[in-house]
Amino acid sequence: MPARRFDGQELRRARRARELSQEALGRAEGVGVEQPTVAKWESGTTFPEPERLPAIARALGEPLNTLFPRDGEPDLADLRCDAGYPQKRTGELIGAKSHIPVSNAERGVRRLADAYVPRLAKAYGVTKKQLLAAQDRSFGVISAAPVGAPPAPRTLAEKLTYLLEATFPSGQPTDAEIAVAVNSHAGVDVISASAVKALRKGTPPPSEVLAGLAAGVVLEGLAEFFGVTPLYFQSDEQLERQVVDAISLLALRGSADDFALAARGGQGGLDPAMLAKISAIVAEVQKNAGPRR
């Protein structure tokens, strides 16, 4: 499931706003690391364990979802980390001798015994229904969107609107601030505040903004500002083409059997339908390519 987004520069901003030293943050309850570790987090050299993020957010006086946002719904491992527990402590949470039952459920191997569900839900601070839904996601069972739920953003305007609302639930940045950030990333003025507004509203921006090289630079700058991959702003057709091209390239480099095995990725892996599609693409590419020399 989606991991929480961690930005070392944002961590540094929040720490300085709180007037905490790196050493003080490391000593905070539940954080428990030395100053060099905090320095590495802020520089992006390393990242904190997910279960430390709640303690870091508390120490900095910021909501967990604001400082370390996550797109999508949590699975069991996400709930555990959001509650601040390492996996090895889950045995005592459910009244068992080992953490293995929770480990198996998180990995989609074996579901929790009924007796463990209310205990774990209480420890994680969620309802039984929320815990069971998270367990379903750990097993790859994705619930259908509720009736009346808004559709997933598809256009660039919809994606920008969604990111603004999800990333900045209060005090959204202005179009001018976004433009400054994108231009800073590009090292040259490639977009104006009025052009950012046009992109948000879905009205035609100046043609030079979405033409050739400028388009890629603008999207990269927006991706950096919102903390997402530039791929997020590409259309479904563009992403599908890239996936097919990547699979085709891999298929030309190895055998279909080798690639299918790699695609499974160990435990879990791709579902049979997706694996069948990949195998079909691999076979077609290798058939057209002829024998390898």
Side-chain angles (χ1 to χ4, degrees):
M1 301 306 292
R4 290 193 176 278
R5 297 201 300 272
F6 178 84
D7 186 330
Q9 293 183 352
E10 181 66 10
L11 176 64
R12 181 184 293 115
R13 177 207 62 76
R15 177 181 60 78
R16 289 178 173 175
R18 194 74 171 178
E19 297 184 349
L20 280 180
S21 66
Q22 291 178 337
E23 183 178 5
L25 176 58
R27 290 200 310 263
E29 183 179 359
V31 180
V33 298
E34 300 296 326
Q35 179 273 331
T37 300
V38 177
K40 290 179 180 179
W41 292 347
E42 293 186 352
S43 67
T45 305
T46 61
F47 302 95
E49 295 88 343
E51 59 266 25
R52 293 187 195 272
L53 297 183
I56 295 172
R58 285 195 301 272
L60 297 176
E62 298 208 15
L64 178 63
N65 287 329
T66 300
L67 190 58
F68 306 118
R70 175 174 56 231
D71 298 327
E73 298 296 324
D75 60 16
L76 272 182
D78 295 329
L79 288 185
R80 172 176 56 77
C81 293
D82 286 356
Y85 291 109
Q87 193 181 78
K88 290 185 177 180
R89 281 203 56 195
T90 56
E92 62 187 82
L93 299 179
I94 61 175
K97 296 181 179 180
S98 169
H99 68 281
I100 296 301
V102 175
S103 173
N104 285 339
E106 287 185 2
R107 293 182 293 117
V109 175
R110 179 177 299 172
R111 290 181 179 269
L112 292 166
D114 291 342
Y116 296 152
V117 171
R119 298 174 185 174
L120 202 59
K122 181 178 180 180
Y124 290 172
V126 298
T127 65
K128 288 171 57 178
K129 183 177 180 180
Q130 289 172 323
L131 187 87
L132 291 174
Q135 179 174 237
D136 282 343
R137 286 187 282 272
S138 293
F139 280 79
V141 179
I142 307 300
S143 302
V147 176
R154 302 183 69 86
T155 68
L156 179 58
E158 290 172 350
K159 291 175 180 179
L160 288 173
T161 299
Y162 170 77
L163 287 173
L164 281 168
E165 294 175 351
T167 310
F168 304 96
S170 60
Q172 293 183 1
T174 65
D175 295 329
E177 289 171 333
I178 297 175
V180 168
V182 173
N183 291 332
S184 176
H185 169 80
V188 64
D189 289 348
V190 293
I191 195 169
S192 63
S194 60
V196 171
K197 181 178 180 180
L199 293 179
R200 283 195 305 104
K201 298 295 185 180
T203 56
S207 59
E208 60 268 20
V209 172
L210 294 182
L213 181 61
V217 173
V218 168
L219 296 182
E220 287 177 1
L222 289 171
E224 181 179 80
F225 180 80
F226 287 107
V228 298
T229 170
L231 294 176
Y232 178 79
F233 294 114
Q234 294 191 7
S235 67
D236 291 346
E237 292 76 15
Q238 290 174 312
L239 289 174
E240 181 178 345
R241 183 66 262 168
Q242 289 191 36
V243 170
V244 171
D245 288 346
I247 292 173
S248 299
L249 178 60
L250 289 171
L252 290 172
R253 290 180 176 177
S255 71
D257 290 340
D258 289 342
F259 185 74
L261 181 60
R264 290 185 176 90
Q267 293 183 353
L270 300 175
D271 62 74
M274 179 60 72
L275 190 56
K277 291 180 181 179
I278 292 176
S279 298
I281 294 173
V282 171
E284 182 65 21
V285 170
Q286 294 182 334
K287 175 182 177 182
N288 294 335
R292 297 172 65 194
R293 297 172 184 246

